[in-house]
């Protein structure tokens, strides 16, 4: 039944994908370019819903419109569009002589140019095969779905139609990264959702018949173990952080009787990641003390690879700092999976990365060379002198040039067996959870490892001569006189003890015996109690059962994206961590954006009055910087931490009075309008600042990282073009990118060029334009004026510093000799996201 059920689930998922692909195939290029295609079908997503079907249907039309908008963007010949790749050959994979064209699935192998810089499609992409470039409505084309990519110059597609003339298409262009949308689309299938019967989804869908379930794994396991503030004292949390953790743990322990969701509101610099890691460590520690027959399992997700790696890294670091919490040196309970190429997998993360674990365990689980054959080899070595003598004779025949003593062979053979077996067990103890190995087996593995070491020392001792070793290991006649030396007796006692433990492990240790990668991967996923992955990647856990879901940066997700992990089987509670005042989900379609497709579940639950646990002390910004977002976005609820209120936290990079911890620089320049925007006056001002910084840092012998962030692609290109090779700016470590491109990064100094205005530690912009925008940008300018943080950039006028014509002195927070940095994951360039940029001036 299990296999059939799994096949049925996979078939349903495949059917959903085919349904979506066929919908896309039904569109013409004119449809893709038509911004009104779904306008009449898209309705605003409501705040409340009336059951599961109403809930899921609310996201279908807006999601289709967003797919259309993304494909339309890819058709754009401007820089933000996709680059076409030249086709070298297009070969039909339909068998020759096949009849019934209407029933044939048109598969083709596409071979493309392997020229440098060419970017081939990825598996799952929706592509267009075209006769010319750029692709225009009216020109010959064929949509296709990439099914396989055997190498970088070749891929297999399912075409939207049978191609009569394979020579008519000369280019291929990627229109859509299909897999993320396909995973959302599966979640919006009502019939499949009913079959999954996900408790948490029914709750957010407004299913009033939903009752708190008492089935599944409990965090207390009937032991009554409760977490207290005293338990958390070693982690040096502030009161709001501790309260948030205790509240979440209490809700989980209650089995969701009061609420299925906990919300932690983490404004910039308030220790959100620390709070998450302590919460996870507390859950792990408590689950280890439960008496439940099944383990308590936690799924931790984030929108991006960078974000989920940061959470996993912080937890690993916390376990090192607090070795008594968790499972010591065993990482088997922790598992991170995803695309290695897109993840910054360092040495620590590599220890919990799925691909690495599968590779290492495949050697240990091998039926030919793994732990079980190793135990068998050890037993034969200890108990079968005939076989040992035979191996000795073979070794002598192989090395006829040397006279190999029996004792030397025994030592060599023992070293080979013990080293392989010990290495295998070290890997198992590090990568397989203790509850899978079982306590008695863990003790026996530790004992065996020590006894093998002791026996090795005996064999290597000066008293273990040839006669003694031969007597202990290679004597076959039972009636022969045994050697009576103390060394011989010690060897025999050690061998007997090792044999007992070896046989116990061979009998009791239940681990896979296979080198098959997929089987070991399933074992690892099934065994781990704490799994890390992206929100989209959690779609691969359809065969797993989890108890608790934790989503970091939950306010950056469309609500329909959150459905992917929320539909994982078994979930009883979810903890959402985020801040709706920061960077929101990206929505390309104006129609879908107006319909609130970009709104997060975190934000909607907050609007409905769901309690949010506010982390209310920030440790990142100088008070001069924090005051504006605190007043404008957080109703003065955020306190400044003691580390940022000290005068010693100021560092000067450039001389001059224009730049304090918070400044707005008024640049009187013209905004160039096009498909993207740029402001060359701001570009010139930024270049002067950078050159002055370079000169000052070189004189001071400082290496300083600088990030220049722009909301518009044209401004990024203009600045990059004027700078040229960033290596020429050393000792500055310089990066220039968009807001999204900087997400998750930190720099010592940030210049945010708004084109229409500017913002960051140095805010460059046109004050007149911003003040008249009718948005919060105007409030920011007025605030700078009132606090005497407003300066005019006149390119050489009065008040210029000695270093630059009318440039700046940068003063930022400092702690422990580190300069202020800017956590760009929190930057927002839209009017209602200013706090993201202000709030991300971070203390390293």
């Amino acid at each position: 039944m299990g296999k059939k059920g799994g096949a049925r689930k996979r078939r349903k998922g495949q059917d959903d994908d085919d349904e979506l692909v066929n919908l896309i195939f039904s569109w013409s290029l004119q449809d893709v370019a038509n911004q009104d295609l779904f306008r009449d079908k898209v309705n605003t997503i409501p705040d409340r819903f009336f059951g599961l079907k109403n809930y899921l249907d609310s996201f279908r039309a807006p999601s289709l419109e967003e797919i259309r908008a993304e494909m339309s963007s890819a058709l754009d010949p401007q820089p933000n569009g996709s680059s076409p790749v030249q086709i070298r050959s297009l070969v039909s994979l339909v068998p020759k002589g096949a009849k019934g064209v209407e029933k044939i699935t048109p598969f083709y192998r596409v071979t493309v140019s392997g020229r440098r810089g060419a970017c081939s499609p990825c598996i799952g992409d929706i592509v267009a095969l075209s006769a010319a470039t750029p692709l225009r409505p009216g020109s010959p084309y064929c949509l296709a779905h990439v099914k396989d990519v055997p190498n970088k110059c070749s891929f297999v597609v399912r075409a939207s139609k049978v191609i009569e003339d394979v020579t008519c298409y000369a280019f291929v262009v990627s229109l859509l990264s299909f897999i993320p949308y396909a995973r959302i689309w599966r979640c919006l299938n009502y019939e499949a959702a009913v079959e999954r019967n996900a408790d948490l989804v029914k709750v957010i869908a407004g299913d009033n018949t939903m009752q708190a379930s008492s089935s599944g794994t409990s965090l207390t396991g009937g032991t009554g173990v409760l977490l207290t503030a005293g338990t958390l004292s070693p982690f040096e949390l502030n009161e709001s952080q501790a309260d948030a953790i205790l509240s979440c743990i209490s809700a989980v322990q209650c089995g969701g009787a009061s609420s299925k969701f906990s919300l932690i509101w983490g404004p910039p610099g308030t220790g959100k990641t620390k709070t998450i890691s302590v919460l996870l460590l507390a859950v792990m520690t408590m689950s280890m003390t439960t008496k439940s027959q099944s383990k308590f399992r936690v799924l931790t997700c984030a929108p991006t690879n960078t974000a989920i790696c940061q959470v996993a890294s912080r937890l690993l670091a916390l376990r090192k700092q607090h070795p008594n919490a968790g499972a010591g040196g065993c990482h088997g309970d922790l598992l991170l999976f995803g695309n290695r190429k897109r993840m910054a997998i360092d040495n620590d993360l590599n220890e919990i990365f799925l691909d690495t674990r599968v590779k290492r365990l495949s050697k240990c689980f091998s039926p030919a060379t793994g732990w079980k054959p190793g135990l068998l080899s050890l037993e034969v070595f200890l108990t079968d002198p005939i076989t040992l003598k035979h191996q000795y004779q073979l070794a002598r025949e192989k090395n006829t040039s040397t006279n190999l003593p029996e004792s030397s062979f025994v030592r060599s053979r023992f070293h080979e067996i013990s080293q392989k077996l010990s290495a295998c067990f070290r890997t198992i103890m590090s990568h397989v959870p203790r509850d899978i190995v079982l306590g008695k087996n863990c003790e026996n593995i530790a004992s065996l490892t020590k006894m093998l070491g002791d026996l090795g020392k005996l064999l290597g001792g000066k008293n273990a001569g040839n006669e003694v070793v031969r007597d202990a290991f290679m004597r076959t006649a039972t009636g022969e006189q045994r050697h009576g030396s103390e060394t011989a007796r010690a060897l025999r006692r050690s061998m007997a003890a090792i044999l007992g433990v070896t046989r116990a492990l061979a009998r009791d240790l239940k681990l896979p015996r296979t080198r098959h990668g997929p089987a070991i991967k399933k074992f690892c996923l099934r065994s781990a109690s704490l799994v890390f992955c992206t929100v989209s990647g959690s779609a691969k856990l359809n065969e797993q059962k989890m108890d608790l879901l934790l989503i970091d940066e939950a306010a950056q997700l469309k609500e329909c994206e959150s459905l992917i992990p929320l539909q994982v089987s078994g979930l009883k509670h979810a903890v959402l961590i985020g801040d709706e005042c920061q960077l929101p989900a990206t929505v390309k379609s104006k129609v879908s954006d107006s319909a609130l497709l970009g709104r997060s579940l975190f934000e909607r639950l907050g609007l409905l009055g769901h309690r949010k646990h506010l982390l209310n002390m920030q440790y990142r910004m100088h008070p001069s910087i924090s005051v504006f977002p605190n007043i404008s976005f957080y109703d003065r609820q955020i306190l400044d931490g003691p580390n940022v209120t000290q005068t010693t936290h100021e560092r000067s990079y450039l001389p001059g009075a224009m730049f304090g911890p918070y400044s707005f620089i008024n640049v009187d320049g013209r905004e160039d309008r096009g498909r993207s925007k740029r402001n060359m006056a701001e570009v010139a001002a930024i270049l002067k600042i950078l050159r002055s910084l370079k000169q000052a840092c070189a004189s001071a012998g400082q290496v300083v990282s600088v990030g220049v962030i722009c909301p518009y692609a044209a401004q990024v290109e203009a600045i990059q073009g004027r700078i040229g090779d960033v290596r020429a700016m050393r000792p500055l470590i310089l990066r220039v990118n968009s807001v999204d491109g900087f997400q998750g990064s930190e720099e010592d100094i940030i210049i945010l060029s708004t084109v229409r205005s500017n913002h960051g530690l140095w805010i460059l912009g046109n004050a007149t334009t911003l003040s008249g925008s009718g948005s919060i940008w105007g409030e920011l300018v007025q605030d700078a004026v009132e606090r005497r943080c407003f300066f005019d950039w006149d390119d050489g006028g009065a008040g210029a510093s000695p270093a630059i014509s009318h440039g700046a002195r940068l003063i930022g927070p400092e702690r422990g000799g580190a300069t202020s940095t800017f956590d760009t994951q929190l930057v927002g360039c839209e009017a209602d996201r200013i706090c993201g940029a202000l709030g991300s001036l971070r203390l390293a």
Side-chain angles (χ1 to χ4, degrees):
M1 285 294 292
K3 290 184 178 179
K4 289 182 179 179
R8 183 171 66 251
K9 288 180 181 179
R10 286 193 296 274
R11 184 65 250 170
K12 281 183 174 293
Q14 188 62 47
D15 289 343
D16 291 339
D17 292 355
D18 289 343
E19 176 200 11
L20 183 56
V21 170
N22 291 336
L23 273 171
I24 293 171
F25 280 177
S26 71
W27 299 342
S28 66
L29 288 188
Q30 288 86 348
D31 290 334
V32 172
N34 181 7
Q35 297 184 15
D36 296 323
L37 183 66
F38 289 96
R39 189 177 295 275
D40 295 337
K41 300 179 179 66
V42 173
N43 297 314
T44 300
I45 298 170
D47 296 340
R48 297 180 185 273
F49 302 91
F50 305 98
L52 186 60
K53 191 172 191 311
N54 170 246
Y55 176 73
L56 299 177
D57 287 349
S58 298
F59 294 96
R60 289 174 68 91
S63 296
L64 285 175
E65 161 58 18
E66 181 66 7
I67 290 173
R68 182 213 61 78
E70 181 139 340
M71 292 175 65
S72 178
S73 175
L75 290 172
D76 192 341
Q78 299 296 321
N80 58 324
S82 296
S83 301
V85 180
Q86 189 169 8
I87 295 175
R88 291 174 55 191
S89 67
L90 182 63
V91 179
S92 174
L93 298 181
V94 178
K96 291 184 178 180
K99 297 181 179 180
V101 172
E102 70 281 355
K103 297 181 180 179
I104 295 174
T105 302
F107 284 102
Y108 298 87
R109 177 178 290 108
V110 184
T111 303
V112 296
S113 169
R115 72 179 188 277
R116 202 170 191 175
C119 184
S120 298
C122 301
I123 289 179
D125 281 3
I126 299 294
V127 301
L129 311 176
S130 66
T133 183
L135 186 59
R136 299 289 189 186
S139 63
Y141 74 95
C142 176
L143 295 180
H145 182 211
V146 178
K147 306 295 288 186
D148 188 24
V149 182
N151 57 67
K152 65 179 181 180
C153 294
S154 177
F155 52 94
V156 176
V157 300
R158 172 200 162 201
S160 58
K161 61 184 180 182
V162 174
I163 301 173
E164 301 294 343
D165 181 7
V166 295
T167 65
C168 70
Y169 298 121
F171 299 93
V172 59
V173 59
S174 293
L175 300 182
L176 180 72
S177 179
F178 175 77
I179 291 176
Y181 288 104
R183 289 170 175 170
I184 294 172
W185 194 253
R186 292 174 207 164
C187 294
L188 301 181
N189 183 308
Y190 173 70
E191 288 76 15
V194 169
E195 185 175 337
R196 282 188 292 264
N197 194 34
D199 288 356
L200 298 186
V201 176
K202 289 193 286 186
V203 169
I204 60 177
D207 188 344
N208 294 325
T209 64
M210 175 66 206
Q211 300 295 324
S213 173
S214 59
S215 61
T217 305
S218 167
L219 188 55
T220 58
T223 64
V225 177
L226 294 175
L227 192 69
T228 65
T231 312
L232 298 176
S233 59
F235 302 106
E236 299 180 345
L237 302 168
N238 64 41
E239 185 177 352
S240 66
Q241 293 168 339
D243 286 348
I245 293 172
L246 291 170
S247 177
C248 291
I249 294 291
S250 176
V252 173
Q253 288 175 325
C254 292
S258 58
S259 175
K260 294 287 185 180
F261 289 85
S262 297
L263 272 58
I264 298 178
W265 186 10
T270 54
K272 174 176 62 66
T273 306
K274 179 180 181 179
T275 303
I276 294 170
S277 58
V278 174
L279 172 60
L280 290 173
L281 193 62
V283 169
M284 288 182 64
T285 304
M286 294 184 68
S287 65
M288 290 172 59
T289 64
T290 66
K291 296 181 180 179
S292 175
Q293 293 183 349
S294 57
K295 68 171 68 180
F296 188 86
R297 305 191 69 199
V298 184
L299 171 60
T300 303
C301 298
T304 65
N305 288 302
T306 299
I308 196 62
C309 285
Q310 287 175 343
V311 174
S313 293
R314 184 65 69 89
L315 179 62
L316 290 174
L318 196 67
R319 279 177 40 138
K320 284 184 178 179
Q321 296 170 13
H322 303 275
N324 293 329
C330 179
H331 294 308
D333 272 329
L334 277 64
L335 190 68
L336 168 69
F337 73 87
N339 189 327
R340 180 184 284 272
K341 294 180 180 178
R342 299 175 184 174
M343 305 175 96
I345 302 296
D346 58 19
N347 290 336
D348 287 339
L349 286 179
N350 200 44
E351 292 300 310
I352 66 170
F353 190 60
L354 177 59
D355 294 355
T356 301
R357 182 164 294 171
V358 170
K359 184 177 180 181
R360 291 179 181 176
L361 288 180
S362 66
K363 298 177 182 178
C364 297
F365 291 169
S366 169
T369 60
W371 65 275
K372 196 67 175 281
L375 290 174
L376 180 59
S377 296
L378 181 58
E379 182 174 354
V380 169
F381 175 79
L382 296 173
T383 63
D384 191 348
I386 295 177
T387 299
L388 192 61
K389 280 188 174 182
H390 178 64
Q391 293 171 343
Y392 170 62
Q393 292 299 328
L394 291 176
R396 289 189 63 184
E397 292 171 7
K398 188 176 181 180
N399 299 279
T400 56
S401 59
T402 59
N403 183 20
L404 181 65
E406 290 172 320
S407 59
S408 296
F409 170 75
V410 169
R411 292 188 190 97
S412 175
R413 180 66 179 147
F414 172 76
H415 179 78
E416 178 186 1
I417 293 173
S418 64
Q419 287 295 102
K420 287 183 178 180
L421 191 57
S422 296
C424 193
F425 278 134
R426 279 196 301 271
T427 299
I428 288 172
M429 294 302 291
S430 179
H431 291 284
V432 178
R434 297 292 167 85
D435 65 300
I436 301 295
V437 178
L438 299 181
K440 183 60 178 177
N441 290 327
C442 291
E443 294 174 8
N444 282 338
I445 289 172
S447 297
L448 180 60
T449 302
K450 183 179 185 302
M451 286 190 288
L452 289 175
D454 292 343
L455 180 56
K457 291 177 182 178
L458 278 174
L459 280 172
K462 62 181 180 179
N463 294 326
N466 199 57
E467 181 63 27
V468 171
V469 172
R470 183 172 62 244
D471 177 80
F473 290 90
M474 305 183 77
R475 190 177 297 279
T476 57
T478 56
E480 287 187 63
Q481 180 68 39
R482 295 293 243 174
H483 201 282
S485 72
E486 179 57 33
T487 300
R489 288 194 293 272
L491 283 172
R492 288 192 288 270
R493 286 195 300 271
S494 179
M495 292 165 63
I498 290 173
L499 183 60
V501 176
T502 298
R503 287 173 172 169
L505 284 172
R507 179 187 66 244
D508 299 334
L509 188 58
K510 308 299 181 184
L511 292 176
R513 295 184 62 194
T514 177
R515 284 189 68 97
H516 186 53
I520 298 175
K521 185 175 292 187
K522 285 184 179 180
F523 169 81
C524 293
L525 286 169
R526 185 176 64 250
S527 302
S529 58
L530 181 50
V531 177
F532 296 91
C533 64
T534 63
V535 166
S536 181
S538 66
K540 297 180 180 179
L541 298 174
N542 59 333
E543 297 181 1
Q544 301 300 316
K545 189 173 182 179
M546 296 287 175
D547 298 287
L548 172 65
L549 171 65
L550 188 150
I551 303 180
D552 187 21
E553 305 293 1
Q556 294 184 16
L557 291 165
K558 306 180 187 76
E559 181 165 349
C560 58
E561 290 177 302
S562 298
L563 287 176
I564 301 173
L566 282 169
Q567 295 200 13
V568 171
S569 176
L571 289 172
K572 301 296 183 292
H573 194 84
V575 179
L576 309 182
I577 304 99
D579 179 11
E580 67 268 31
C581 296
Q582 296 177 35
L583 193 66
T586 300
V587 178
K588 292 196 173 183
S589 165
K590 293 181 180 179
V591 173
S592 295
D593 193 38
S594 298
L596 303 181
L597 179 66
R599 185 175 62 182
S600 66
L601 175 62
F602 184 95
E603 183 176 358
R604 184 172 71 84
L605 290 178
L607 289 172
L608 295 178
H610 198 293
R611 182 188 175 191
K612 296 187 292 186
H613 302 281
L614 175 65
L615 306 181
N616 67 356
M617 183 170 292
Q618 69 87 16
Y619 302 91
R620 180 173 299 170
M621 294 169 278
H622 188 283
S624 297
I625 302 168
S626 66
V627 62
F628 180 80
N630 192 14
I631 293 172
S632 301
F633 297 96
Y634 301 107
D635 196 27
R636 302 176 186 267
Q637 297 180 84
I638 309 301
L639 306 174
D640 292 320
N643 62 317
V644 299
T645 57
Q646 302 172 10
T647 57
T648 55
H649 288 283
E650 297 185 357
R651 169 170 289 187
S652 175
Y653 290 99
L654 286 172
M658 286 182 67
F659 290 86
Y662 175 73
S663 300
F664 183 95
I665 306 172
N666 178 32
V667 180
D668 187 12
R670 187 181 65 182
E671 171 191 328
D672 296 333
R673 292 176 178 270
R675 294 302 296 268
S676 184
K677 300 178 178 69
R678 67 179 186 177
N679 187 315
M680 296 310 294
E682 286 186 24
V683 173
I686 290 168
L687 287 173
K688 281 199 172 186
I689 293 172
L690 291 175
R691 288 166 184 158
S692 297
L693 270 174
K694 174 186 175 182
Q695 181 180 351
C697 292
S699 299
Q702 288 180 297
V703 177
V704 176
S705 61
V706 181
V708 180
I709 305 179
C710 316
Y712 300 107
Q715 187 78 344
V716 172
E717 292 172 8
I719 295 172
Q720 288 175 335
R722 292 289 299 275
I723 291 172
D725 188 349
V726 294
R727 290 176 296 183
M729 297 299 295
R730 291 174 179 169
L732 302 184
I733 302 173
L734 180 63
R735 292 179 61 205
V736 183
N737 213 326
S738 64
V739 174
D740 289 341
F742 260 95
Q743 186 174 346
S745 301
E746 296 180 4
E747 313 294 344
D748 294 322
I749 300 170
I750 282 292
I751 303 169
L752 178 55
S753 171
T754 63
V755 181
R756 313 182 103 177
S757 70
N758 237 305
H759 164 239
L761 183 55
W762 299 357
I763 309 174
L764 282 74
N766 188 295
T768 302
T769 301
L770 293 173
S771 296
S773 65
S775 72
I776 203 167
W777 283 114
E779 296 178 24
L780 185 144
V781 173
Q782 184 60 33
D783 173 77
V785 171
E786 292 175 355
R787 292 199 282 133
R788 297 177 179 269
C789 299
F790 183 96
F791 303 91
D792 285 316
W793 179 277
D794 62 8
D795 196 22
S801 79
I804 50 181
S805 297
H806 198 83
R809 175 173 63 95
L810 260 188
I811 301 176
E814 178 187 5
R815 180 178 63 191
T819 56
S820 67
T821 60
F822 194 98
D823 181 352
T824 57
Q825 182 172 354
L826 306 174
V827 173
C829 62
E830 295 299 328
D832 61 345
R833 296 295 184 262
I834 290 179
C835 73
L838 285 175
S840 299
L841 291 167
R842 179 173 186 172
L843 293 181

